């Protein structure tokens, strides 16, 4: 687990260069008057609490020597140090997914990602009750972490404990539109599970919709999308445009960068128009 620290000209060598030989150091060159810096700061604090790294904050107005040494011109200017050298960086504000991708590229480990992966391995090994207990512990430890919230809720959907899943999602909050979409998609998974268990009815469309819901719960998203698009094609009004809404919920769950999202957005558009 990392930490955040204010660094100045006089201790930059000790707190950044020397420390970076032990673990990565993310240096945030900022200023109090800088609006984008204030937008980036909470995300970097989140990184410090989750990742095995140090976030070193350098006020460029108060520490011009080190700012000049590293040719800081625009701010926020973020530079990642390892073994005393800059290995990566960016100027401006990155969104959470892009920042996480950059850290992964730099082989900077997330304690939360590793914990989630370990819990998933427990579930895959059939230790479902243990996995649920571990996720509840992670929720207590990281109550504001969206990834923990999402993965925990998904597990309880898979085990058909829908009230627990609803409670987890309802307790979550965020001002990030992408995360809000993800939370909504979990609510959609809960709906899918309920529809999967209900009597689907005799009509072909009703059966297609129920089958698609079961596939979505099982995380067989491509097969689910194929069937939801069939629902849209056969009866757009079914369940108040339910096929289209369900497909969009899966897109939100997968994220905009997932190849299935791009491919099936095109398929959905062609079916609609």
């Amino acid at each position: 687990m990392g930490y955040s620290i204010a660094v100045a000209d006089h201790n930059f060598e000790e707190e950044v260069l020397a420390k970076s030989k032990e673990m990565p150091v993310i240096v945030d060159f900022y200023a109090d008057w800088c609006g984008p810096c204030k937008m980036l700061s909470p995300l970097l604090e989140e990184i410090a609490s989750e990742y095995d790294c140090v976030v070193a904050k350098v006020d460029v107005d108060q520490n011009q020597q080190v700012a000049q040494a590293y040719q800081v011109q625009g701010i926020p200017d973020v530079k990642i140090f390892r073994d005393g050298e800059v290995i990566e960086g960016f100027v401006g504000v990155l969104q959470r997914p892009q920042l996480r991708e950059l850290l992964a590229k730099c082989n900077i480990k997330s304690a939360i990602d590793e914990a989630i992966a370990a819990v998933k391995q427990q579930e895959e090994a059939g230790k479902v009750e243990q996995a649920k207990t571990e996720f509840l512990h992670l929720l207590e430890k990281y109550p504001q972490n969206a990834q923990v919230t999402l993965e925990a809720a998904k597990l309880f959907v898979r085990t058909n404990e829908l009230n627990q899943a609803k409670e987890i999602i309802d307790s979550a909050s965020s001002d990030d539109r992408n995360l809000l979409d993800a939370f909504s998609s979990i609510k959609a998974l809960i709906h899918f599970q309920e529809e999967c268990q209900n009597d689907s009815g005799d009509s072909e469309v009703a059966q297609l919709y129920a089958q698609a819901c079961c596939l979505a719960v099982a995380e067989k998203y491509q097969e689910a999308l194929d069937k939801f698009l069939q629902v849209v094609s056969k009866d757009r009004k079914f369940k108040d445009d339910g096929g289209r809404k369900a497909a969009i919920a899966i897109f939100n769950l997968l994220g905009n960068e997932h190849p299935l999202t791009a491919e099936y957005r095109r398929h959905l558009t062609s079916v609609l128009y």
Side-chain angles (χ1 to χ4, degrees), residues 171-230:
S171 68
S173 63
S174 176
D175 56 2
D176 185 318
R177 176 58 186 272
N178 291 330
L179 292 179
L180 290 174
D181 286 344
F183 293 152
S184 295
S185 69
I186 298 299
K187 293 180 180 179
L189 275 180
I190 294 170
H191 168 73
F192 294 156
Q193 181 70 289
E194 291 171 337
E195 290 292 324
C196 178
Q197 295 172 344
N198 290 339
D199 184 0
S200 61
D202 295 330
S203 74
E204 179 186 3
V205 172
Q207 291 181 8
L208 277 172
Y209 187 84
Q211 290 166 10
C213 288
C214 294
L215 289 165
V217 172
E219 300 186 4
K220 297 180 179 179
Y221 296 121
Q222 184 167 5
E223 295 93 328
L225 286 166
D226 284 332
K227 291 189 181 296
F228 281 132
L229 263 60
Q230 290 182 56

Side-chain angles (χ1 to χ4, degrees), residues 62-114:
Q62 303 297 323
N63 302 281
Q64 296 184 13
Q65 180 180 335
V66 69
Q68 290 173 3
Y70 287 94
Q71 300 179 333
V72 175
Q73 296 179 347
I75 52 173
D77 188 333
V78 175
K79 300 183 188 296
I80 301 175
F81 286 74
R82 192 191 295 274
D83 295 326
E85 302 290 337
V86 177
I87 61 169
E88 261 294 355
F90 61 91
V91 177
V93 179
L94 288 187
Q95 298 300 313
R96 183 179 282 99
Q98 288 72 39
L99 180 53
R100 292 176 70 90
E101 287 175 10
L102 179 63
L103 297 180
K105 176 183 174 183
C106 296
N107 198 30
I108 300 176
K109 305 293 186 180
S110 162
I112 290 177
D113 284 349
E114 291 179 342

Side-chain angles (χ1 to χ4, degrees), residues 256-264 266:
N256 290 328
E257 304 304 317
H258 196 285
L260 283 179
T261 299
E263 178 183 355
Y264 277 84
R266 292 193 299 270

Side-chain angles (χ1 to χ4, degrees), residues 139 143-144 149 166-173:
L139 285 167
Q144 301 303 317
T149 299
K166 289 176 182 177
E167 183 179 331
I168 290 170
I169 288 298
D170 289 343
S171 68
S173 63

Side-chain angles (χ1 to χ4, degrees), residues 28-31 34-42 57 75-77 93:
D28 174 23
F29 291 97
Y30 77 101
C34 168
C37 298
K38 294 177 181 177
M39 294 172 58
L40 181 63
S41 182
K57 301 184 68 63
I75 52 173
D77 188 333
V93 179

